[in-house]
Amino acid sequence: MVRIKEYLGSKELYKKMARIAVPVSLQSLITVGINLMDTIMLSGMGDSQLSASSLAAQFITLFMIFCMGIGMGASVLTSRFWGMGDKNSLKKAITIMLRVTVVFASVFTIFTAVAPELVMRIYTGEEVIIGYGIRYLKWMVPTYFCMGLSLTLTIVLRTIGQVKIPLVCSVIAFFVNVFSNWVFIFGKLGMPRMEIEGAALGTLIARIFELVFICGYFFFIDKRAAYRIKDFFMKCRDLVREYIKVSIPVLVSDGLLAIGNNAVGMIMGRIGESFVAANAVAVVVQQLSTVLTTGISNASGIITGHTMGEGKFEKAQKQGYTFLIMAGMIGVFASVVILIIKAPVVAFYDISSEAKQIAGELLKAIGFIVIFMSMNSILTKGVLRAGGDTRFLMMGDILFLWVASIPLGALAGLVFHWPPFWIFVCLKIDEVIKCIWCFFRLKSGKWLKVIRKAGEKE
């Protein structure tokens, strides 16, 4: 009985987790709320505009996931250095992260500005959707720098215990986005009716606000990291090797995941317009059902990093089991919620009857997959990643996504034309496999890695 209690966690652990997870979950919920309002407002414009915005957003999401990889890779170091009390190494890790972010933002900005049609043709061959998508993307060109800097700095703020600032920013950004969408999509308050372009403009305005808010706080007000603009030009060569060893596998892993998700989008785009519109609805519900998982995942990574930074590796191992048990419970809860709200949510959208039918099938599949997604998220994005086991996780992402999910999904959707339920299960089968893979890695204890400070020799 005593041994079981050790793995269920202490009150102190749950309090610390709640302080991080609740604000992060609320922030995630607000982000999903923005996506929800976008899809609801655009659904009245027809399946074509909704599909175009969904597919164009796939490319933007590709960049966002790259940024999350950059930020989460850096957070493995920043959370550990924060636990060590080493502010010099902390600043150097942030500097490298920001430099990498600027490079990626520049590449995506140029590509979107120069070749928006090519971007859309990656996902679909339907000319109507491509035309709407180009109109959407032209407004989104400046968003990469806004999103890249605010997202990566938000991740760093969380690792040093500043979770309320990003939450406040997201709350205000939500209202800015919804108001801007209402004005520009429908042409209110004397503004022109822009429809899909209005949705893009509303998103851009919200991103600019986030950039000003987060960067303004981080560079001029924050006293924990005490990072200032001049630090961007500091020398950090002595940490580059450790950064590459720990953070680059996270970037590669998340980058391959992003590309894989885009490959999934390509498959869906070629199945048909109704499938894409249905998936746009289903994805929002999936995101809503996993907001708590996102919070726990972030909390588990930060807490694990701090614990290991203090040199308490055995304690980190036990906490890993605690987080895994919680992940399973949250996944089951999310599954039940999805199955309960499935019908009323689909009925709420103004999409074609065919799209509604497909959306219902997709939500059934998500209700099954979400259990495994919850456990994977908390292990791969939280515990194991914070332990420094980034190369192992990279191998898992490469292997299961590209060898199992994408080939099986393509066969199910484009060759065998299976029902939507089974197409989606095939596209997400890597979640099931990785769940088993990561459990045995956690059990082995091999994920607990030593991370060295700036200038420290092996």
Side-chain angles (χ1 to χ4, degrees):
M1 181 63 71
V2 174
R3 185 173 176 79
I4 294 175
K5 285 183 178 180
E6 288 180 358
Y7 294 105
L8 291 178
S10 63
K11 288 183 179 179
E12 181 185 353
L13 174 64
Y14 287 110
K15 286 179 181 179
K16 189 173 182 180
M17 181 190 64
R19 284 196 297 270
I20 301 170
V22 172
V24 172
S25 295
L26 288 173
Q27 187 179 359
S28 179
L29 179 62
I30 292 164
T31 301
V32 176
I34 291 173
N35 296 335
L36 177 64
M37 295 305 297
D38 283 352
T39 55
I40 290 173
M41 290 181 182
L42 275 179
S43 67
M45 305 296 166
D47 287 0
S48 294
Q49 291 199 44
L50 180 59
S51 297
S53 67
S54 175
L55 292 177
Q58 288 273 354
F59 189 71
I60 297 166
T61 301
L62 173 65
F63 172 74
M64 184 180 74
I65 296 176
F66 269 118
C67 286
M68 290 181 69
I70 295 168
M72 293 302 291
S75 75
V76 176
L77 296 173
T78 57
S79 62
R80 195 77 68 91
F81 292 144
W82 182 255
M84 293 176 183
D86 183 4
K87 282 196 174 182
N88 183 51
S89 296
L90 176 69
K91 284 187 176 184
K92 290 183 177 182
I94 294 170
T95 297
I96 299 172
M97 177 196 75
L98 289 175
R99 291 174 182 174
V100 175
T101 301
V102 168
V103 171
F104 270 85
S106 300
V107 172
F108 274 81
T109 298
I110 293 169
F111 192 78
T112 303
V114 173
E117 182 177 350
L118 178 59
V119 171
M120 289 307 300
R121 289 196 180 279
I122 293 173
Y123 303 104
T124 182
E126 297 189 31
E127 296 298 331
V128 174
I129 296 178
I130 290 172
Y132 280 125
I134 292 171
R135 290 166 57 184
Y136 185 92
L137 285 171
K138 75 176 185 180
W139 287 98
M140 300 303 288
V141 172
T143 197
Y144 298 107
F145 282 98
C146 300
M147 185 189 304
L149 293 173
S150 61
L151 181 57
T152 52
L153 290 177
T154 290
I155 292 171
V156 169
L157 283 170
R158 290 171 181 167
T159 65
I160 61 175
Q162 292 284 26
V163 292
K164 292 181 180 178
I165 297 299
L167 174 60
V168 171
C169 178
S170 291
V171 170
I172 301 173
F174 171 79
F175 290 106
V176 169
N177 187 267
V178 171
F179 177 75
S180 300
N181 277 357
W182 175 74
V183 170
F184 294 110
I185 291 176
F186 303 108
K188 303 295 184 180
L189 303 179
M191 295 293 108
R193 180 184 172 94
M194 298 174 66
E195 299 186 354
I196 190 172
E197 292 180 69
L201 178 56
T203 299
L204 175 59
I205 292 171
R207 297 297 185 211
I208 292 173
F209 167 79
E210 289 173 342
L211 175 71
V212 174
F213 191 104
I214 293 294
C215 289
Y217 178 83
F218 190 81
F219 292 126
F220 300 105
I221 300 175
D222 175 64
K223 294 180 181 179
R224 293 197 176 191
Y227 191 94
R228 299 297 178 256
I229 293 176
K230 62 182 175 63
D231 294 323
F232 182 82
F233 304 98
M234 72 190 301
K235 294 180 180 180
C236 47
R237 186 177 298 175
D238 56 345
L239 190 65
V240 169
R241 184 177 178 181
E242 194 70 19
Y243 186 93
I244 291 173
K245 185 175 77 172
V246 175
S247 301
I248 295 303
V250 177
L251 174 58
V252 173
S253 179
D254 281 12
L256 288 171
L257 178 63
I259 295 169
N261 288 338
N262 271 250
V264 170
M266 295 174 204
I267 294 169
M268 291 182 177
R270 283 159 176 77
I271 292 174
E273 181 181 286
S274 296
F275 198 101
V276 176
N279 185 63
V281 175
V283 165
V284 172
V285 178
Q286 175 188 313
Q287 291 171 338
L288 279 171
S289 68
T290 56
V291 291
L292 186 56
T293 299
T294 301
I296 301 297
S297 176
N298 275 265
S300 66
I302 293 168
I303 292 171
T304 301
H306 291 175
T307 302
M308 293 181 67
E310 295 166 359
K312 300 175 182 177
F313 281 39
E314 185 178 348
K315 182 179 179 181
Q317 175 74 39
K318 292 177 180 179
Q319 287 176 345
Y321 284 114
T322 303
F323 287 123
L324 179 62
I325 293 169
M326 291 185 62
M329 295 172 63
I330 292 168
V332 172
F333 175 75
S335 176
V336 172
V337 170
I338 289 172
L339 296 177
I340 291 174
I341 68 171
K342 173 174 67 70
V345 166
V346 173
F348 187 74
Y349 281 88
D350 186 13
I351 53 178
S352 65
S353 57
E354 182 184 1
K356 286 185 177 181
Q357 183 180 357
I358 295 172
E361 290 295 307
L362 295 182
L363 287 174
K364 286 181 184 177
I366 292 172
F368 165 67
I369 293 294
V370 74
I371 299 172
F372 301 96
M373 289 177 67
S374 177
M375 289 188 281
N376 279 338
S377 177
I378 289 172
L379 287 178
T380 62
K381 309 303 180 189
V383 177
L384 300 184
R385 178 173 287 181
D389 201 21
T390 53
R391 281 182 285 186
F392 176 86
L393 296 174
M394 180 182 70
M395 291 301 299
D397 283 334
I398 294 172
L399 185 64
F400 303 131
L401 179 65
W402 291 94
V403 175
S405 288
I406 292 175
L408 288 175
L411 287 172
L414 302 177
V415 179
F416 301 126
H417 305 290
W418 285 355
F421 176 91
W422 291 110
I423 294 174
F424 194 90
V425 168
C426 288
L427 288 169
K428 297 294 183 181
I429 197 66
D430 62 311
E431 299 285 354
V432 179
I433 303 171
K434 277 198 297 184
C435 186
I436 300 169
W437 169 274
C438 289
F439 169 74
F440 283 105
R441 187 63 171 184
L442 175 69
K443 186 179 178 181
S444 72
K446 294 178 181 178
W447 58 279
L448 297 157
K449 309 289 185 182
V450 174
I451 291 178
R452 292 171 176 81
K453 300 179 182 180
E456 185 178 355
K457 295 181 179 181
E458 296 184 14

